[in-house]
């Protein structure tokens, strides 16, 4: 891999090119036959006008024209120069990072087994401690790593190998494994490659389960159907319908957008995926702006207008699909607002009993004077005496609570796999095991999800928050006439009947890791 990259000057399977991009040239002297006239190389796009007249299609090329650059053309030129510089800086960083990963891999190449110690963040999500070569890394890291202990493929392992591997280096590793497997008897082949099972927009799955949202649950595959559902396609379809409706009303932006092609899932995927984790309107607009650039929109003003037009449509259509999820997000934010109004941080315990406290406090500088000198100390957000950031406590609580649920779900699934003597590795909502064990792991994933959401989690959350209040806090709330809102009403989704039916019928359910409701002092425990 390293030799292939080092000997090529082009981009190789997603790795950055070693040759930097060259910035565009603004002015040059080409007209030797025309003394005294120095033409300019102008940045001409298919939608740019020169001297009030539409330019011939240049597809972003530099065309020779007479006269100085206009203010608009100079702005476009500077934007392209900035983009090239940023691309070169990013490519240089990626090249150094790639070389570092390869150096680490070379050091461990002859080891029989490598261990990755983990740590959890304040929400209970697990991360590897090693910063470079680890399975939470990029495609290169995942393509280099495999399970140290192999397992025979058996009857179903070859099938799962065939559907594994999407990105270049993971695909290459899987192809090499497949070739070795089919060169002999596939069922007896000992495989080391990990096969991944990813959640269908995991955050939205948790919101749908919390609110027992039947329609939302269907969109994220909590309800069995003839074909897997794609929530991103569903939202994109609704956005497309709205844009077509606007275009029929002679909306120029909608017409221009439809001329560039249909609105696909890639346009809305990032925004839908991050909406449950607290993406702001500005953040969503920037995401959509990036996708518009990929469609060929390059002029700054057009990008601004188009992203401002499309962003509220995407957000509205997401709310239409997951109305229950939006209600729960608002409820969580309102609970956090009440707590923060008391000058307290939001605290709760995960379904596994893990204590969680949002660490968002104000950072400030404290000046200290002595008889000899004066100096300043920076007080960080980890200082429990610092005032809380009320807005941050409120806006971060919904995504942090969902993160605590998916962290608990991963731990429960990992323990079930361990009891079944199966290998397990996880990246938040992506679970990995040997090809022969994927079917059993899928049973555990569904079983533990149902077990998790069979608990009245929102009621438990309110109990956790209230238990942290003192009598003075309660009196302050009564005086200000603030109170915790009631949890949203639950919908008709029955996880046992819908999501749980398939794993019950297989007879492969795990036997342990049951959850029991905590008492005042015990905490919710894993038995």
């Amino acid at each position: 891999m390293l030799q292939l990259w080092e000997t090529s000057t082009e981009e190789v399977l997603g790795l950055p090119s070693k040759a930097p991009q060259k910035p565009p040239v603004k002015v040059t002297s080409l007209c030797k036959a025309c003394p005294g006239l120095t033409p300019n190389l102008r940045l001409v796009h298919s939608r740019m006008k020169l001297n009030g007249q539409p330019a011939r299609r240049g597809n972003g090329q530099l065309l020779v024209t007479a006269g100085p650059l206009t203010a608009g053309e100079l702005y476009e030129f500077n934007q392209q120069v900035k983009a090239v510089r940023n691309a070169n800086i990013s490519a240089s960083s990626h090249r150094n990072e790639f070389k570092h990963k390869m150096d680490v891999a070379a050091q461990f190449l002859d080891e029989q087994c490598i261990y990755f110690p983990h740590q959890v963040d304040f929400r209970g999500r697990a991360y590897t401690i090693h910063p470079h070569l680890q399975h939470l890394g990029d495609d290169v890291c995942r393509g280099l790593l495999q399970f140290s202990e192999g397992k025979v493929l058996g009857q179903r392992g070859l099938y799962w190998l065939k559907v594994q591997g999407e990105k270049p280096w993971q695909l290459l590793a899987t192809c090499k494994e497949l070739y070795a497997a089919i060169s002999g008897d596939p069922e007896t082949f000992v495989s080391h490659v990990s096969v991944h099972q990813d959640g269908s927009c995991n955050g939205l799955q948790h919101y749908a389960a919390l609110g027992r949202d039947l329609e939302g649950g269907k969109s994220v595959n909590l309800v069995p159907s003839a074909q897997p559902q794609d929530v991103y396609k569903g939202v994109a379809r609704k956005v497309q319908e709205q844009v077509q409706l606007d275009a029929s009303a002679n909306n120029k932006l909608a017409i221009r957008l439809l001329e560039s092609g249909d609105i696909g899932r890639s346009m809305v995927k990032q925004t839908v995926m991050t909406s449950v984790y607290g993406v702001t309107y500005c953040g969503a607009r920037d995401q959509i702006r990036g996708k518009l650039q990929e469609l060929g929109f390059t002029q700054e003003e057009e990008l601004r207008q188009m992203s401002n037009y499309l962003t509220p449509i995407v957000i509205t259509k997401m709310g239409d699909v997951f109305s229950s999820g939006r209600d729960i997000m608002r409820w969580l934010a309102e609970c956090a607002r009440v707590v923060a109004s008391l000058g307290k941080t939001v605290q709760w315990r995960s379904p596994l009993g893990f204590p969680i406290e949002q660490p968002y406090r104000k950072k400030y500088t404290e000046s200290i004077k002595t008889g000899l000198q004066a100096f300043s100390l920076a007080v960080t957000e980890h200082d429990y005496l610092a005032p809380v950031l009320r807005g941050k406590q409120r806006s971060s609580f919904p995504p942090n609570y969902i993160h605590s649920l998916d962290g608990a779900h991963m731990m429960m699934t990992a323990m079930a796999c361990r009891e079944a003597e199966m290998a397990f590795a996880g990246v938040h909502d992506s679970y990995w095991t040997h090809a022969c064990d994927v079917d059993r792991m899928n049973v555990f994933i569904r079983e533990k999800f149902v077990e998790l959401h069979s608990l009245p989690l929102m009621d438990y959350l309110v109990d956790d928050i209230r238990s942290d209040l003192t009598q003075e806090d309660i009196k302050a709330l009564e005086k200000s006439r603030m109170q915790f809102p009631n949890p949203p009403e639950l919908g008709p989704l029955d996880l046992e009947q819908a999501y749980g039916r398939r794993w019950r019928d297989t007879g492969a359910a795990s036997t342990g890791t049951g959850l029991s409701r905590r008492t005042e002092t015990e905490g919710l425990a894993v038995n």
Side-chain angles (χ1 to χ4, degrees):
M1 183 190 298
L2 187 58
Q3 291 177 344
L4 176 64
W5 176 69
E6 287 182 337
T7 57
S8 174
T9 59
E10 303 294 333
E11 181 177 310
V12 179
L13 295 178
L15 300 179
S17 169
K18 296 188 68 175
Q21 298 182 33
K22 295 182 179 180
V25 180
K26 182 170 63 173
V27 179
T28 186
S29 298
L30 296 178
C31 292
K32 295 182 179 179
C34 306
L37 178 60
T38 303
N40 294 278
L41 285 179
R42 297 194 177 190
L43 301 169
V44 179
H45 299 276
S46 58
R47 296 177 297 278
M48 185 180 290
K49 293 185 178 182
L50 292 176
N51 300 323
Q53 299 297 323
R56 61 185 177 89
R57 293 188 66 86
N59 194 25
Q61 299 177 359
L62 293 170
L63 302 182
V64 179
T65 59
L69 296 177
T70 66
E73 292 167 347
L74 183 60
Y75 176 81
E76 290 289 335
F77 170 80
N78 290 332
Q79 289 296 109
Q80 287 202 7
V81 171
K82 181 179 178 181
V84 169
R85 287 175 178 169
N86 289 340
N88 286 337
I89 292 173
S90 177
S92 176
S93 174
H94 288 164
R95 286 194 298 271
N96 293 333
E97 184 181 7
F98 170 72
K99 187 64 167 60
H100 199 159
K101 292 172 182 175
M102 296 303 298
D103 290 342
V104 174
Q107 294 176 33
F108 288 96
L109 186 60
D110 296 327
E111 298 292 335
Q112 294 298 316
C113 184
I114 308 172
Y115 293 91
F116 293 95
H118 281 63
Q119 61 186 358
V120 294
D121 65 5
F122 73 93
R123 302 162 299 187
R125 293 189 113 193
Y127 297 86
T128 56
I129 295 177
H130 195 281
H132 302 295
L133 183 66
Q134 31 92 357
H135 63 281
L136 272 73
D138 59 9
D139 178 43
V140 172
C141 290
R142 299 182 184 189
L144 287 169
L145 296 172
Q146 60 182 13
F147 288 124
S148 59
E149 297 181 1
K151 282 192 174 183
V152 295
L153 288 178
Q155 295 183 348
R156 290 274 291 169
L158 184 64
Y159 165 79
W160 284 113
L161 270 185
K162 290 179 179 179
V163 299
Q164 163 68 10
E166 178 182 2
K167 295 184 178 179
W169 294 108
Q170 294 174 78
L171 177 61
L172 177 61
T174 304
C175 287
K176 292 174 67 176
E177 192 88 342
L178 272 172
Y179 178 78
I182 63 178
S183 296
D185 180 8
E187 291 192 11
T188 60
F189 176 76
V190 178
S191 174
H192 293 261
V193 168
S194 59
V195 177
H196 312 166
Q197 297 291 285
D198 296 348
S200 300
C201 200
N202 186 245
L204 290 177
Q205 285 182 325
H206 282 295
Y207 273 120
L210 280 171
R212 301 298 191 269
D213 181 5
L214 181 59
E215 293 304 315
K218 290 178 180 178
S219 300
V220 289
N221 295 298
L222 294 187
V223 177
S225 60
Q227 294 181 340
Q229 300 299 303
D230 189 332
V231 62
Y232 308 117
K233 284 185 178 179
V235 174
R237 185 165 51 249
K238 289 181 175 294
V239 172
Q240 175 85 4
E241 292 171 355
Q242 182 61 53
V243 172
Q244 290 175 338
L245 187 63
D246 293 344
S248 64
N250 203 29
N251 184 305
K252 293 182 179 180
L253 292 175
I255 295 173
R256 176 72 188 92
L257 189 59
L258 292 177
E259 288 175 351
S260 66
D262 291 339
I263 298 173
R265 70 192 298 272
S266 63
M267 177 66 74
V268 304
K269 179 179 179 180
Q270 188 179 14
T271 305
V272 173
M273 189 165 50
T274 57
S275 64
V276 296
Y277 299 127
V279 67
T280 63
Y281 177 89
C282 293
R285 185 184 59 195
D286 290 341
Q287 293 168 351
I288 291 173
R289 185 182 187 278
K291 294 302 178 182
L292 289 170
Q293 287 178 309
E294 294 177 8
L295 284 180
F297 294 93
T298 56
Q299 291 189 4
E300 189 67 26
E301 181 61 21
E302 187 176 36
L303 278 171
R304 185 188 65 80
Q305 293 180 2
M306 197 68 73
S307 58
N308 284 337
Y309 162 70
L310 197 55
T311 301
I313 297 178
V314 174
I315 293 176
T316 299
K317 298 308 175 184
M318 284 192 301
D320 293 344
V321 176
F322 291 96
S323 58
S324 176
R326 289 288 182 185
D327 292 340
I328 295 175
M329 288 179 68
R330 285 191 288 266
W331 174 74
L332 291 171
E334 183 62 19
C335 289
R337 187 181 74 85
V338 174
V339 174
S341 70
L342 299 170
K344 303 173 72 73
T345 58
V346 182
Q347 301 181 35
W348 72 101
R349 283 180 285 181
S350 80
L352 293 179
F354 185 82
I356 302 170
E357 178 183 5
Q358 295 194 141
Y360 312 119
R361 295 177 179 270
K362 293 181 180 179
K363 301 177 183 179
Y364 62 94
T365 301
E366 188 74 34
S367 298
I368 299 177
K369 295 181 180 180
T370 69
L372 298 176
Q373 61 182 340
F375 57 92
S376 298
L377 292 177
V379 180
T380 68
E381 64 180 9
H382 300 292
D383 189 330
Y384 71 96
L385 295 177
V388 300
L389 287 170
R390 298 187 180 187
K392 185 70 172 177
Q393 290 286 335
R394 179 183 182 277
S395 63
S396 298
F397 182 45
N400 284 338
Y401 180 68
I402 296 299
H403 281 313
S404 72
L405 295 184
D406 67 43
H409 181 219
M410 191 196 77
M411 294 290 187
M412 294 166 65
T413 305
M415 288 186 286
C417 289
R418 182 178 181 179
E419 289 181 359
E421 298 183 348
M422 294 164 47
F424 178 88
V427 184
H428 306 319
D429 65 342
S430 177
Y431 302 162
W432 306 4
T433 192
H434 286 96
C436 62
D437 290 329
V438 171
D439 290 309
R440 283 201 298 167
M441 185 180 70
N442 278 331
V443 169
F444 297 153
I445 292 173
R446 287 156 175 77
E447 176 191 30
K448 296 308 170 186
F449 188 90
V450 172
E451 184 178 342
L452 175 66
H453 284 282
S454 295
L455 299 171
L457 294 175
M458 290 191 288
D459 292 336
Y460 291 174
L461 178 62
V462 172
D463 293 342
D464 283 339
I465 294 176
R466 288 183 180 275
S467 66
D468 189 49
L469 301 181
T470 64
Q471 288 297 323
E472 289 75 12
D473 294 331
I474 296 175
K475 291 179 180 178
L477 289 178
E478 292 175 350
K479 184 177 181 180
S480 63
R481 297 184 179 181
M482 294 183 67
Q483 59 182 354
F484 291 101
N486 294 323
E489 294 185 5
L490 301 182
L493 175 63
D494 188 336
L495 291 173
E496 285 284 350
Q497 294 296 320
Y499 199 22
R501 181 185 301 128
R502 284 179 289 180
W503 63 259
R504 280 206 313 274
D505 292 345
T506 64
S510 65
T511 57
T513 67
L515 295 178
S516 62
R517 175 55 181 154
R518 58 175 172 268
T519 64
E520 287 284 332
T521 58
E522 291 175 349
L524 191 98
V526 178
N527 297 327

